[in-house]
Amino acid sequence: MTSPRVSVIVPCFNREAYIGEAVKSILAQNLGDLEILVVDDGSTDASTDVVDSFDDPRVRLVRNERNLGIPATRNRGLDLARGDYIATLDSDELAEPGRLERQVAFLDARADIALVGSWAREVTEAGAATGKIKRRPTDPDEIDLWLLFRCAVLQYTMTGRAEVLRDYRYNEDLEVCEDHDLLLRLSADGHRLANLPEALVSHRVHDSQVTREKALRLIARKHAIVGRRLEELGVAHRPEDLERHFDLAHLRSRGIAPDAAYLDWAEDWLLRLIEAFARRDAAGAVTARRIGAELWLAACWHAKARLGPTRWIGRCFASPLAGPLWRSALVRLPVVRRNAPAAGD
């Protein structure tokens, strides 16, 4: 086999407890024309022994001579992959049997889409379902806007066109958020991104994933890469604007009750974002206005404790953000109340 339909890149570092299950989940795919490229980043445990134990020619193990870090390890996978499409799976995740079949069929049918992800089911360290689903927007225009707030395509669910991914690669200067950075650069250059609205990967949650130090680095990097994209869009900002910007999409989860001053800022900020997208294209402007209306409704809803039960309504619908789209946004008010109108956490 020299040119499979899909190369699945699995970066691995000290994951002997999980890597075997990850590989098995790919070997169990309904689509069999694939290769599994495990790129080991200098593991000091038995991870490579686990991978070597698979007696299947589709499993390829490549070892970095030293620990290079996740972006460089992902890039090495891109260089060595032989498939028409390249899929990603982290070494502690599990792919559902229909994942690659569905994503390849979608990309075959949609030449305008460069990369497709999916939703993910959250499981415990032992693999038991928690009942939570990590949802992301499915429409390319929605993804384009939501990338300013969060990584709108989950890294471990991605399947994309090999030639596109090799052209862009991962930024090896980023120790975290390399996936968000890649998606923002793809989107900025007009590449269309999508998600399938079904959980095609099981995302394992365990203690070794995010330390407090890593969480702080994630925040700093996210501010930097989104700040750069805002500058490209012509949206001037200060550091405090970025802080408020990220709060805007997470008011409920962060327990924030906006005051009148925050609402004044949010109104101006959202209007500026909508204007920036309107300068790009008409379709993006329509989506930006709708999502802007939903975010505005969410901000006003969470401000009701400080503004009072009637004042928040008056403030909300006096804004041009409510505009002609307020009725469609109100239909989604239960979603707005969860403060995840399009993408989820």
Side-chain angles (χ1 to χ4, degrees), residues 253-321:
S253 62
R254 295 179 183 179
I256 297 172
D259 57 14
Y262 183 92
L263 290 183
D264 289 343
W265 170 86
E267 181 179 46
D268 175 70
W269 183 254
L270 288 169
L271 288 170
R272 290 167 60 195
L273 289 181
I274 292 169
E275 181 183 358
F277 276 82
R279 289 194 294 266
R280 294 184 61 199
D281 61 85
V286 171
T287 301
R289 290 188 191 101
R290 177 173 58 77
I291 294 176
E294 292 176 357
L295 286 168
W296 174 244
L297 277 168
C300 292
W301 172 263
H302 288 287
K304 69 184 187 298
R306 302 182 72 169
L307 270 64
T310 57
R311 187 182 169 201
W312 79 268
I313 297 175
R315 179 69 181 91
C316 180
F317 294 107
S319 171
L321 286 164

Side-chain angles (χ1 to χ4, degrees), residues 121-179:
R121 180 180 298 103
E122 184 180 287
V123 299
T124 66
E125 185 171 3
T130 67
K132 296 180 180 179
I133 301 292
K134 294 176 75 68
R135 293 174 171 84
R136 291 294 184 266
T138 58
D139 177 73
D141 288 326
E142 288 196 13
I143 291 172
D144 198 22
L145 188 144
W146 274 107
L147 281 170
L148 294 178
F149 293 93
R150 55 167 67 89
C151 195
V153 183
L154 299 167
Q155 166 70 48
Y156 43 84
T157 72
M158 295 179 188
T159 299
R161 302 184 190 279
E163 67 274 12
V164 174
L165 291 174
R166 288 197 186 96
D167 280 346
Y168 282 80
R169 306 175 66 79
Y170 293 91
N171 184 344
E172 296 185 12
D173 292 330
L174 299 178
E175 72 281 12
V176 291
C177 293
E178 75 284 348
D179 51 342

Side-chain angles (χ1 to χ4, degrees), residues 326-337:
W326 70 268
R327 285 186 177 85
S328 65
L330 267 183
V331 170
R332 298 162 64 97
L333 187 56
V335 181
V336 173
R337 287 175 181 173

Side-chain angles (χ1 to χ4, degrees), residues 203-274:
H203 170 65
R204 198 189 305 266
V205 178
H206 52 88
D207 293 339
S208 62
Q209 287 173 320
V210 179
T211 63
R212 176 175 172 77
E213 179 187 357
K214 184 177 180 181
L216 292 174
R217 284 188 283 126
L218 281 166
I219 293 171
R221 282 299 188 188
K222 186 172 291 190
H223 283 210
I225 62 177
V226 170
R228 182 192 67 222
R229 180 67 185 127
L230 288 169
E231 290 173 3
E232 293 170 354
L233 288 167
V235 181
H237 59 275
R238 300 163 297 178
E240 55 265 35
D241 291 323
L242 285 177
E243 292 285 349
R244 289 176 166 182
H245 170 82
F246 287 107
D247 285 342
L248 191 56
H250 301 91
L251 294 173
R252 180 176 179 269
S253 62
R254 295 179 183 179
I256 297 172
D259 57 14
Y262 183 92
L263 290 183
D264 289 343
W265 170 86
E267 181 179 46
D268 175 70
W269 183 254
L270 288 169
L271 288 170
R272 290 167 60 195
L273 289 181
I274 292 169

